[in-house]
Amino acid sequence: MSDVNSRKRQRAESPEFQRRVSAASLSSIINPEPEPAVISSPTFHGNTNLSIDTRPHSPMRMEPNIFGARPAEDIVRIVADFMYTHMKDRTNIEIEGKLGRLIDKKTNLRISLPVVSETALADDKNLRFESNMTLQQHAMFNKLLNQRVDETRRPEFRGSRVEYKHTKEIDHFYKVNGTRVRVTTDKESGQVLSVITKNKIADLNIFSPRTKLDIRITINEERPMEMPDFETNKHILERHKDRLSYRQDLWSFDLTQVVSPEHEVGPVNPYATGPPKTAPAVTTHELELEVAKPEIWLNERAKVAANKQNNFHEITHTFLGNLRALAKRAI
């Protein structure tokens, strides 16, 4: 036995054995043996609840981009440029966004473009915008907006409330010295609410292929007019408007059913025989977002022109955001 132990001791002390041991130790440090993977399943003991780590994850810290500033969305910038260009320093301005469909005049169908996201159109001469929506869509928006009225009235709600108003009005249109004049009266009382002529300044059409409805943004100038002489002027068109208005901040969301009764069309030929040509009664359902306080937006535009701190882009972003949110909810 002593001879065996002596040989083991001599072997361990030999230089060759020491080199092998050192190499093996270094290898184990560089390439350690992997520990066997352990797959565990939750273990339940009677009614004991499983403990879950609910601590919030820390957000990833990243720069907006290599230049340090997040660029504005193209569609928002396009709308902002459109607004800035056409608002100018006008008075009696009307700004509204409409939901509807962009229709190809040749096919009479909604347009189809090779795009997959919202697109502002530069050329729309072969298109028309149809602001009419289906009765089902109209009813859905009515329900949705009524829900927002209720939600914003709850004690725990901390944002801007949505106020509701129901009006019924009648528009009569007259041609006075070549100018189209609109007289609006309250349907119940007959009180005259406004006498204006509307001049279109500009339109911007936005095709939205991922939603059922497209968007048209319109800037008009509404100029007050004198009341037409009813004895010498006969109205050429009549519209009955049953409107639900939802107000929040600068905005008025106007959900309207418009009925245009049957009426004569074209000039009356005194030598023609037979009954005059008439257009049939038409009922449409519309949803518009009108800027209820355009002077605030105009004031922010003036700050931009004066190179002062302003909220012009934020107002534009909210205006477009409201229209996009409505379009995305259309059935």
Side-chain angles (χ1 to χ4, degrees), residues 154-171:
R154 293 174 183 170
E156 65 272 17
F157 185 77
R158 292 293 179 266
S160 300
R161 284 192 171 190
V162 178
E163 303 294 338
Y164 164 87
K165 186 178 182 181
H166 188 183
T167 59
K168 294 183 179 181
E169 300 172 352
I170 301 177
D171 290 339

Side-chain angles (χ1 to χ4, degrees), residues 271-302:
Y271 303 103
T273 59
K277 293 182 179 180
T278 60
V282 176
T283 300
T284 59
H285 300 89
E286 303 172 359
L287 176 56
E288 300 173 346
L289 172 58
E290 184 169 351
V291 182
K293 299 179 180 179
E295 64 276 6
I296 294 178
W297 208 344
L298 286 166
N299 186 48
E300 294 303 313
R301 185 202 178 278

Side-chain angles (χ1 to χ4, degrees), residues 23-280:
S25 300
L26 183 62
S27 176
S28 67
I29 294 172
I30 299 174
N31 302 302
E33 288 293 328
E35 296 183 4
V38 178
I39 301 176
S40 61
S41 298
T43 303
F44 299 93
H45 302 282
N47 293 326
T48 302
N49 293 325
L50 177 65
S51 177
I52 300 175
D53 186 358
T54 58
R55 290 174 296 178
H57 294 287
S58 298
M60 183 179 292
R61 175 68 178 89
M62 295 178 66
E63 291 294 330
N65 57 48
I66 195 170
F67 301 107
R70 192 181 303 279
E73 290 184 73
D74 273 355
I75 191 69
V76 177
R77 185 59 184 268
I78 288 169
V79 173
D81 289 347
F82 170 82
M83 291 296 182
Y84 183 86
T85 299
H86 296 290
M87 284 172 123
K88 297 184 178 178
D89 54 354
R90 302 180 189 277
T91 57
N92 302 316
I93 196 171
E94 178 195 53
I95 304 170
E96 60 185 8
K98 302 179 181 181
L99 294 181
R101 298 187 306 153
L102 287 165
I103 303 296
D104 188 320
K105 291 180 180 179
K106 295 180 180 178
T107 64
N108 211 33
L109 299 173
R110 189 186 183 192
I111 64 171
S112 178
L113 300 177
V115 296
V116 294
S117 62
E118 296 164 328
T119 303
L121 304 184
D123 182 3
D124 56 7
K125 59 179 178 293
N126 293 319
L127 309 174
R128 75 172 189 274
F129 187 82
E130 189 177 272
S131 59
N132 187 24
M133 64 178 60
T134 67
L135 182 60
Q136 290 76 19
Q137 289 173 328
H138 196 264
M140 182 275 300
F141 281 121
N142 184 201
K143 180 179 179 180
L144 187 67
L145 292 169
N146 283 342
Q147 287 175 349
R148 287 303 292 159
V149 171
D150 294 337
E151 290 165 358
T152 62
R153 287 179 176 175
R154 293 174 183 170
E156 65 272 17
F157 185 77
R158 292 293 179 266
S160 300
R161 284 192 171 190
V162 178
E163 303 294 338
Y164 164 87
K165 186 178 182 181
H166 188 183
T167 59
K168 294 183 179 181
E169 300 172 352
I170 301 177
D171 290 339
H172 288 101
F173 294 86
Y174 300 84
K175 204 76 169 180
V176 181
N177 298 324
T179 301
R180 185 182 172 98
V181 178
R182 187 187 76 189
V183 179
T184 302
T185 58
D186 182 275
K187 189 172 183 177
E188 303 295 333
S189 66
Q191 178 186 357
V192 176
L193 303 175
S194 66
V195 182
I196 65 165
T197 183
K198 181 183 290 192
N199 300 314
K200 185 177 79 171
I201 305 302
D203 290 329
L204 178 65
N205 291 314
I206 300 174
F207 175 56
S208 181
R210 296 172 64 87
T211 64
K212 298 290 186 181
L213 298 174
D214 304 311
I215 297 169
R216 167 174 278 189
I217 297 172
T218 302
I219 299 178
N220 299 309
E221 197 166 32
E222 295 183 336
R223 185 159 49 92
M225 298 289 290
E226 295 290 334
M227 179 69 76
D229 185 347
F230 297 144
E231 294 184 0
T232 58
N233 293 282
K234 181 181 179 182
H235 70 264
I236 57 175
L237 180 63
E238 180 179 334
R239 294 192 311 175
H240 295 245
K241 300 183 299 187
D242 189 345
R243 172 168 290 171
L244 305 170
S245 296
Y246 302 84
R247 285 281 299 269
Q248 186 183 48
D249 298 329
L250 309 184
W251 323 110
S252 179
F253 301 80
D254 296 333
L255 195 61
T256 312
Q257 176 178 276
V258 181
V259 177
S260 299
E262 182 180 287
H263 59 280
E264 296 181 6
V265 293
V268 177
N269 183 354
Y271 303 103
T273 59
K277 293 182 179 180
T278 60

